[in-house]
Structures are given as structure tokens and as C-alpha cells.
Amino acid sequence: MQPAGLSATRLTALTNAMQGYVERGEVAGVVSLVWRRGEIGYFEPLGLRDEAAQLPMERDTLFRIASMTKPVTSAAILMLIEEDRLALDTPISSWLPELAAPSVLRDPTGPLDETDPVRAPLTVLDLLTHRAGFAYHFTATGPLAEAYAAAFNGIEARGDASAWLGRIASLPLMFQPGSRWHYGVATDVLGVLIERVSGMRLGDFVNELDRYRAGHLSCDPSVAGLRLSGTFPLADTDRVLDTLARTLPIEVVFITRYWGTVRAARS
């Protein structure tokens, strides 16, 4: 029987799909893992981890993982909800008036001036679940992709969040809010929402949450999210990781040991 009760035919299709990315040159290599019913049902490295040296991808190859700031920002929003300062169904226009009446493209690939009014207000839940209709330049298509690229071009990450939001608010949404999932700048917008609701810079807000800290965490705030890093005594490794695991909804922790210390980082 196939491990974890998975279909051998479907796993072959998965392998072929991942191999396709490699053969088309879209990625140098990939590692795919499927965990089901408490066991590993599929674990397949494909392609190269080092194209110059022609080294194959392996199961234990280390990767740089992006967007790990998003769970931190989302956790901060959930804390504001827990404190009754927000609700999942709260229209965000109460704090982000720039997004009170966005337009929506009739065709996600079409001209930017062919739009409809938004049918329902954007909510906190829409942002948390990436169903707000936002995109990135690399997830949008047609003229909207170019508009997103232009909106981000030249924007200093540590600059004024309101100016950044104003640029994003000038772009039409790809879809009606709540209608479908699409990966975009929704979590970035949540960061601005946190600043408006709390009256604090995003990094300062998170730094104030002592019950969500382990050891010493330093924050590097930006419009795009939050980077957390800290240096801890080696003897405190288990305590630090246990605290992080219990307080932040992040399952991946990168540890580098050097000179008797442990560095836990999320980026």
C-alpha cells in the first residue's frame, strides 16, 4: 500500500508537474513533501541546488523562505480582535478610508478603466484570507501587473505607510472582495491597519507585546511586513523554541549556532 494512503497515480502526476518547472527553467530545483495521517507519504527532491556546480537537490537542502513575516502580522491583527478593538467582519474603511470605495476590474486581464463598483466593503477577514482582490505585480496579469510594478517602484520600504497605501488604493481590485482567493498585498495592508488602530508603528506595536516575546526580539518594521530576530543563550534554546511555537503560529524555525548562542529568525 502507498504510504499515508496516497494515490500512486496522483503522486506521479505531482512529480511530473514539479519536474516540468525544472525542465522549463522556472526553478533550478524543488523539494516536495506530503505529510498525511501522521506519516510522510511523499518526499521527492528534483533538479539542482547549485546550477554552477551542478549539485543535485537533496532532501535536506536549505532554502531561503520568504513571507514568514505574514503570520506575525496576522497574529498581531488577531490580538487586536481578541482585545475587541477589531472584528473579523469589520469594514476596514473605518481606519483605512483610502479603501472605502475601490473599483473592481470587469476582466482581471483587461484595461484599468473598465471597472465596476465594489459590491461589499473590504473586511479584516478578506485581508486575512487573501480574498480582498489585491495582487502583486507577479501575481497580476495584463495592465494591472504593470500598474502594481509602477506603484512599488521607488517606494522606500521604511517610508510612509500612508503614502504607500494611497498608491495601492488607486489601483482597481482584481476581483470582488470575498469572491475568491488571490495572493497579494493584503497582509501589507493589514500592517497599515495595525498602525492606524493601535496608533503605533508596526514594529513598536509588536515590540510592546511582551507576552509574545522570547528572549530578546528586535523588530525591523516595513510596509511589506516585519522581520524578527533574536540572540539567545545556547542553554535556553529549548525554552525559546517552545515559547515561539506556543505563541506564534509559525512552524518553521531556522537555527544557527555560533559561539554559544542560538539565533532564531523569521523573514
Side-chain angles (χ1 to χ4, degrees):
M1 178 180 291
Q2 188 71 23
L6 298 172
S7 165
T9 301
R10 298 298 293 274
L11 291 179
T12 298
L14 174 60
T15 299
N16 293 338
M18 295 299 103
Q19 185 63 42
Y21 286 109
V22 175
E23 293 176 351
R24 291 189 298 271
E26 296 182 40
V27 295
V30 298
V31 178
S32 303
L33 185 148
V34 178
W35 174 281
R36 184 171 185 249
R37 297 175 180 172
E39 62 178 321
I40 296 175
Y42 179 87
F43 199 176
E44 188 71 28
L46 299 167
L48 302 173
R49 72 178 188 273
D50 187 328
E51 289 183 297
Q54 289 293 290
L55 298 176
M57 190 69 76
E58 298 177 348
R59 287 187 172 188
D60 61 353
T61 296
L62 298 179
F63 287 82
R64 176 184 180 274
I65 300 181
S67 291
M68 293 306 294
T69 58
K70 289 181 170 62
V72 177
T73 303
S74 297
I77 280 288
L78 292 176
M79 292 175 64
L80 290 174
I81 291 173
E82 191 176 53
E83 295 170 356
D84 291 330
R85 299 169 75 179
L86 282 174
L88 288 175
D89 58 356
T90 300
I92 62 173
S93 59
S94 298
W95 291 273
L96 307 178
E98 298 95 328
L99 296 171
S103 59
V104 183
L105 287 175
R106 293 173 185 165
D107 177 357
T109 66
L112 299 183
D113 58 354
E114 293 185 3
T115 63
D116 292 320
V118 71
R119 297 191 195 119
L122 287 162
T123 67
V124 175
L125 182 60
D126 291 331
L127 294 175
L128 279 170
T129 57
H130 283 280
R131 295 184 303 161
F134 292 115
Y136 283 114
H137 69 277
F138 55 87
T139 65
T141 53
L144 186 61
E146 298 175 5
Y148 264 99
F152 277 96
N153 186 36
I155 289 290
E156 168 57 45
R158 301 172 193 273
D160 181 67
S162 294
W164 174 85
L165 183 63
R167 289 202 178 195
I168 296 303
S170 70
L171 303 179
L173 302 177
M174 282 190 74
F175 309 100
Q176 289 288 342
S179 65
R180 60 170 292 176
W181 183 91
H182 193 83
Y183 188 57
V185 299
T187 308
D188 306 51
V189 176
L190 283 175
V192 183
L193 180 61
I194 290 170
E195 293 193 347
R196 298 275 180 90
V197 174
S198 68
M200 302 170 62
R201 292 277 295 176
L202 180 59
D204 295 336
F205 178 78
V206 174
N207 270 331
E208 287 295 318
L209 309 178
D210 289 337
R211 63 186 181 278
Y212 279 78
R213 299 173 69 186
H216 170 71
L217 290 181
S218 62
C219 298
D220 177 15
S222 70
V223 170
L226 190 67
R227 299 172 187 269
L228 300 183
S229 64
T231 302
F232 314 92
L234 187 60
D236 289 346
T237 303
D238 291 340
R239 177 185 64 80
V240 169
L241 296 184
D242 178 67
T243 303
L244 288 170
R246 285 187 290 103
T247 58
L248 293 177
I250 303 174
E251 297 180 358
V252 179
V253 176
F254 298 95
I255 299 298
T256 303
R257 300 190 177 202
Y258 60 98
W259 294 103
T261 63
V262 171
R263 188 173 182 83
R266 284 167 178 66
S267 61

